[in-house]
Amino acid sequence: MKERSVSGFIFDSFNVIFMIVLCVTTIYPFLYLLTMSLSPADVSFSQIRIIPEKISFVNYEQVLGYDQVLIGFWNSLKRTIFGTFLNVAVTIAAAYVLAKKYFPHRSFWTKFIVFTMFFSGGMIPSYLLVRDLGLMNTSWALILPVLVNPFQLIIARNFMQSLPIELEESAKIDGANDIYILWKVIIPLSMPIIATLGLWNAVFHWNSWFDSLIYMTDTNKEVLQMVMRRIVLDGQMQVMSSVLPEDQNKVNTETIKAATIMVTTIPIIIIYPFLQKYFVKGMLIGSVKG
């Protein structure tokens, strides 16, 4: 084996130390909040700990027993599923067209799409458009304005350009049209980029709250992140209708907040391991080809 130089050893050591520090600073806040959420109300957190003294699920019972949390969870789940599906479907269809060299004025349309990455109409015109279209207090107000992300479209186009054109040509010789080729040839080969786009959009839709703040005036239409914001930032513990007056001494505001954060965070974390193997490949191939 080839011996490493001193500079190479120092560089590798620095990388290892840096990654360890980065992992600790990333994982510690999550473990701290998880421990807090699993602790009963009488446990003091004056000392730093990541292992609970006592394990209790009363905080989760209180959070999940609050009707507004369940309504927000369903609204977020519905938005994430339909929003991600539509985002990926429209992006893949548009990328397939832009990837074809014979598409008329392809360079112009690509530059036009890239232009929208740097300039937009702004929040007020977007709000007026959504209001005038009658989309207020509907899930479409959260999905349609972000239906296509220019950056994701360019990444998907680059990925499809890397696919062998001979596959498409052979399919056309057999009589296949463009829609059949997209469905039977391109999409099965594009699973890495589809998984990457799905992960990006699922995380975006699940974590988004500002558009719900703008477009949703009905509290029953709010997403889970808005409910969490009200509980965590505004400290409106009185909205926890499931907490009876005689049980107020059993409730700790901080542990309830931690449980709320866990409820909103864990579902999207569970998805990532299933898409990780596709995520790296999709990002690599989609980004290196111009």
Side-chain angles (χ1 to χ4, degrees):
M1 295 179 63
K2 184 179 179 180
E3 295 184 1
R4 291 184 299 172
S5 63
V6 176
S7 59
F9 176 78
I10 295 175
F11 179 77
D12 292 341
S13 301
F14 175 79
N15 280 342
V16 171
I17 295 174
F18 175 77
M19 292 305 300
I20 291 175
V21 173
L22 181 63
C23 290
V24 170
T25 56
T26 303
I27 296 175
Y28 166 73
F30 179 82
L31 294 178
Y32 179 77
L33 287 175
L34 180 62
T35 299
M36 185 180 294
S37 68
L38 292 173
S39 299
D42 57 349
V43 173
S44 173
F45 276 83
S46 58
Q47 297 179 350
I48 297 177
R49 61 168 63 95
I50 58 175
I51 299 177
E53 290 183 3
K54 305 175 185 178
I55 295 180
S56 172
F57 295 97
V58 65
N59 298 311
Y60 290 95
E61 292 175 1
Q62 299 293 351
V63 171
L64 296 178
Y66 175 40
D67 293 339
Q68 204 63 39
V69 170
L70 298 179
I71 294 174
F73 188 91
W74 167 246
N75 291 335
S76 289
L77 184 64
K78 180 172 61 174
R79 172 188 180 171
T80 301
I81 293 175
F82 288 104
T84 301
F85 173 78
L86 291 176
N87 282 136
V88 174
V90 174
T91 301
I92 291 297
Y96 176 68
V97 175
L98 289 176
K100 302 308 167 190
K101 294 182 180 180
Y102 54 81
F103 177 63
H105 311 294
R106 185 182 71 154
S107 178
F108 168 79
W109 291 114
T110 302
K111 293 177 181 178
F112 184 80
I113 292 171
V114 172
F115 178 82
T116 63
M117 294 174 59
F118 304 100
F119 301 96
S120 64
M123 183 176 66
I124 294 178
S126 299
Y127 174 83
L128 295 176
L129 178 62
V130 170
R131 186 197 63 182
D132 293 343
L133 291 175
L135 301 178
M136 300 290 291
N137 288 315
T138 66
S139 297
W140 295 114
L142 310 178
I143 296 174
L144 290 182
V146 292
L147 189 60
V148 178
N149 183 289
F151 174 75
Q152 296 180 12
L153 179 56
I154 298 301
I155 293 292
R157 186 209 66 161
N158 293 346
F159 182 94
M160 291 185 179
Q161 284 182 338
S162 67
L163 299 177
I165 194 173
E166 292 78 12
L167 295 175
E168 182 178 348
E169 293 175 348
S170 61
K172 287 186 176 181
I173 293 175
D174 293 335
N177 56 27
D178 289 327
I179 296 179
Y180 185 89
I181 293 172
L182 174 62
W183 181 251
K184 293 294 185 178
V185 178
I186 302 300
I187 289 182
L189 295 175
S190 301
M191 290 310 298
I193 195 64
I194 291 176
T196 302
L197 297 177
L199 180 61
W200 277 344
N201 287 287
V203 172
F204 169 78
H205 282 294
W206 184 264
N207 290 334
S208 294
W209 63 272
F210 188 69
D211 48 2
S212 177
L213 175 65
I214 297 175
Y215 302 131
M216 301 298 171
T217 57
D218 185 358
T219 56
N220 291 326
K221 301 292 185 178
E222 290 179 345
V223 296
L224 182 60
Q225 305 300 332
M226 274 298 300
V227 180
M228 182 190 73
R229 178 181 180 273
R230 225 174 21 247
I231 295 175
V232 175
L233 297 183
D234 298 343
Q236 294 182 6
M237 295 307 301
Q238 66 272 20
V239 300
M240 305 292 289
S241 57
S242 60
V243 181
L244 299 176
E246 58 270 20
D247 294 332
Q248 289 292 335
N249 60 339
K250 301 179 182 179
V251 175
N252 185 310
T253 303
E254 297 304 318
T255 57
I256 288 289
K257 291 180 180 180
T260 304
I261 295 174
M262 288 296 104
V263 169
T264 58
T265 304
I266 290 177
I268 200 65
I269 292 179
I270 295 176
I271 298 176
Y272 182 78
F274 298 98
L275 301 178
Q276 182 180 10
K277 62 179 181 179
Y278 298 107
F279 180 78
V280 176
K281 182 178 180 182
M283 275 294 296
L284 179 63
I285 300 179
S287 60
V288 298
K289 186 176 179 63

